[in-house]
């Protein structure tokens, strides 16, 4: 037996990281552990989505006479539940909730962080067995401890994130998370039920050959975006064009593939929806944080995503995100 081969679990890794900071309270490690637990529960349901009646519309009743919750509401409740019962999170905001939700109990009111998430990204893909995911974002609360968290704790610019990450429920289930110190990827080992380190210190390639965009909207995009997409299709590129087009329709899976292989993902504004479809707080900011820590870039076409001051919880934003070199090519088209 090779005793030197060390499999590092997510929990071991976060505790190890904490040891490097003698004054750390362990709250962030504990929050990541809570998220890992909820992710495992959601993973179980995602895996059997084809077998059970969990795809039905919320509010309908299944054969056992129980209320059927859509998988995205189920996921929302799992993440909300673990964070409420944990010791690190004062409250959450979620794509599935109209308003932010302060936990408002003595432990939560004294904890350091707030968490925002898109419980199931790509939920339109669930019933066709295509990869989907969860995206999360963590900020230090800005209001004083001792009272319920408030809306301003959630309306912070993305550059102030303490950590951000996502889980992809795909051919394997992976959790990727970033702090300022780096991006690390963990793959769920179903035989032991643990996320184990599989992608240490992820850096995204400076150039890739993949561009991801909904081509169906092409004629609705503004001129610079059309110009860039057309450039992606040209053969005379010095860096290996024409590029390959890949678009899953689950942003988290598209962004994950491009992070690993190098590429650019775009959800531009359209004539009908000038701010596009994606939400700044639940989708754009966490992915922008991860990509920047990994060496990539993210903008809304005008400014760095992480510098946008949010004004409302559910605000939308165009998103261009990916390898630095490709992002610079795009910026050259504006
Ligand atoms: P959600 O399932 O959380 O509502 O997000 C779906 C998003 C995103 O994941 C994906 O990239 C995009 O919608 C796809 O939209 P189009 O079908 O308009 O391209
Ligand atoms: Mn989403
Ligand atoms: Mn969603």
């Amino acid at each position: 037996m090779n005793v030197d081969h060390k499999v590092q679990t997510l929990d071991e890794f976060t505790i190890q990281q904490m040891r490097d900071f003698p004054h750390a309270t362990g709250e962030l490690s504990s929050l990541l552990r809570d998220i890992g637990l909820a992710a495992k529960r959601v993973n179980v349901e995602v895996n059997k989505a084809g077998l059970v009646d969990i795809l039905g519309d919320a509010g309908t009743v299944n054969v056992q006479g129980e209320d059927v919750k859509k998988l995205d509401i189920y996921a929302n409740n799992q993440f909300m539940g673990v964070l409420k019962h944990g010791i690190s999170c004062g409250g959450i905001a979620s794509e599935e909730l109209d308003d932010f939700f302060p936990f408002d109990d003595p432990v939560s009111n004294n904890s350091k962080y707030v968490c925002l998430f898109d419980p199931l990204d790509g939920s339109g893909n669930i019933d066709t067995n295509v990869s989907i995911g969860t995206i999360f974002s963590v900020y230090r609360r800005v209001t004083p401890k001792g009272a319920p968290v408030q809306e301003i704790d959630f309306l912070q610019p993305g550059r102030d994130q303490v950590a951000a990450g996502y889980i992809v429920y795909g051919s394997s289930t992976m959790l990727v998370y970033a702090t300022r110190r780096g991006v690390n990827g963990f793959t769920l080992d179903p035989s032991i039920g643990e996320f184990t380190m599989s992608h240490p210190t992820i850096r995204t390639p400076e150039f890739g050959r993949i561009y991801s965009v909904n081509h169906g909207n092409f004629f609705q995009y503004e001129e610079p975006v059309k110009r860039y997409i057309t450039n992606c299709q040209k053969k005379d590129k010095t860096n290996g064009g024409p590029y390959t087009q890949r678009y899953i329709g689950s942003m988290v899976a598209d962004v994950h593939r491009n992070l690993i292989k190098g590429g650019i993902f775009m959800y531009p504004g359209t004539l009908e929806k000038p701010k596009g479809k994606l939400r700044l707080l639940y989708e754009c900011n966490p992915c922008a944080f991860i990509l920047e820590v990994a060496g990539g870039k993210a903008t809304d076409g005008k400014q760095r995503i992480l510098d946008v001051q949010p004004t409302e919880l559910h605000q939308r934003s165009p998103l261009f995100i990916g390898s630095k070199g490709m992002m610079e090519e795009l910026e050259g088209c504006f």
Side-chain angles (χ1 to χ4, degrees):
M1 182 182 170
N2 178 2
V3 289
D4 290 331
H5 181 70
K6 173 95 178 82
V7 176
Q8 194 174 35
T9 67
L10 174 65
D11 293 353
E12 285 172 329
F13 176 79
T14 51
I15 289 165
Q16 184 100 47
Q17 295 268 298
M18 194 180 85
R19 286 211 188 105
D20 297 344
F21 291 96
H23 301 295
T25 57
E27 278 186 71
L28 185 61
S29 312
S30 147
L31 188 141
L32 288 163
R33 197 162 52 235
D34 294 341
I35 288 176
L37 174 62
K40 285 189 254 183
R41 290 190 180 139
V42 172
N43 181 59
V44 169
E45 294 307 318
V46 168
N47 280 184
K48 57 185 194 195
L51 296 172
V52 296
D53 192 10
I54 204 161
L55 302 170
D57 289 335
T60 57
V61 173
N62 70 12
V63 284
Q64 288 89 29
E66 298 155 343
D67 274 352
V68 172
K69 301 246 185 295
K70 268 197 195 156
L71 208 44
D72 37 18
I73 297 174
Y74 175 84
N76 181 67
N77 293 347
Q78 289 305 322
F79 283 96
M80 206 166 140
V82 291
L83 293 170
K84 177 163 173 51
H85 294 110
I87 56 155
S88 326
C89 185
I92 56 135
S94 158
E95 191 191 270
E96 294 299 332
L97 301 177
D98 290 339
D99 209 348
F100 70 100
F101 187 87
F103 292 144
D104 195 10
D105 59 71
V107 174
S108 304
N109 288 348
N110 280 299
S111 46
K112 227 195 256 181
Y113 299 109
V114 294
C115 199
L116 295 86
F117 50 92
D118 177 356
L120 263 203
D121 176 66
S123 45
N125 279 328
I126 300 171
D127 50 0
T128 48
N129 201 9
V130 173
S131 294
I132 51 179
T134 298
I135 309 173
F136 63 91
S137 169
V138 182
Y139 294 84
R140 203 166 277 121
R141 67 180 292 179
V142 290
T143 56
K145 283 184 183 178
V149 291
Q150 297 171 34
E151 192 178 44
I152 49 167
D153 293 313
F154 298 92
L155 294 181
Q156 300 189 49
R159 61 172 181 264
D160 291 338
Q161 285 169 101
V162 172
Y166 57 75
I167 297 105
V168 182
Y169 312 99
S171 47
S172 57
T173 294
M174 261 194 88
L175 185 151
V176 173
Y177 91 86
T179 62
R180 258 164 242 283
R181 304 175 69 195
V183 187
N184 290 282
F186 301 82
T187 301
L188 183 64
D189 178 346
S191 63
I192 55 168
E194 293 280 2
F195 283 105
T196 53
M197 173 70 86
S198 53
H199 296 64
T201 326
I202 299 172
R203 300 288 301 169
T204 196
E206 193 147 325
F207 264 103
R209 296 197 57 256
I210 297 173
Y211 74 105
S212 311
V213 70
N214 186 336
H215 259 289
N217 293 335
F218 183 86
F219 292 106
Q220 294 224 31
Y221 296 146
E222 55 181 333
E223 285 310 316
V225 177
K226 285 189 203 161
R227 228 174 358 253
Y228 179 67
I229 294 174
T230 309
N231 281 350
C232 287
Q233 299 167 336
K234 287 192 178 147
K235 205 171 169 38
D236 59 352
K237 299 181 99 30
T238 45
N239 40 32
Y243 295 154
T244 294
Q245 204 276 348
R246 292 279 181 269
Y247 191 72
I248 296 171
S250 297
M251 167 203 174
V252 65
D254 277 312
V255 166
H256 175 69
R257 181 204 51 238
N258 291 2
L259 170 75
I260 303 295
K261 293 195 162 186
I264 188 168
F265 172 91
M266 301 173 267
Y267 203 110
T270 60
L271 293 173
E272 270 166 37
K273 296 180 185 163
K275 290 196 166 270
K277 176 181 184 185
L278 301 175
R279 290 83 168 173
L280 176 65
L281 298 186
Y282 312 118
E283 294 166 319
C284 304
N285 270 339
C287 289
F289 183 82
I290 296 164
L291 257 293
E292 281 204 9
V293 176
K297 287 183 87 172
T299 74
D300 65 4
K302 294 192 169 62
Q303 63 170 327
R304 182 184 174 220
I305 287 284
L306 297 182
D307 283 338
V308 177
Q309 173 60 54
T311 52
E312 45 183 294
L313 288 173
H314 293 283
Q315 93 187 54
R316 296 180 195 259
S317 169
L319 177 66
F320 303 89
I321 184 167
S323 295
K324 194 163 162 279
M326 297 177 86
M327 285 294 295
E328 284 163 3
E329 284 179 345
L330 168 78
E331 281 157 11
C333 292
F334 273 89

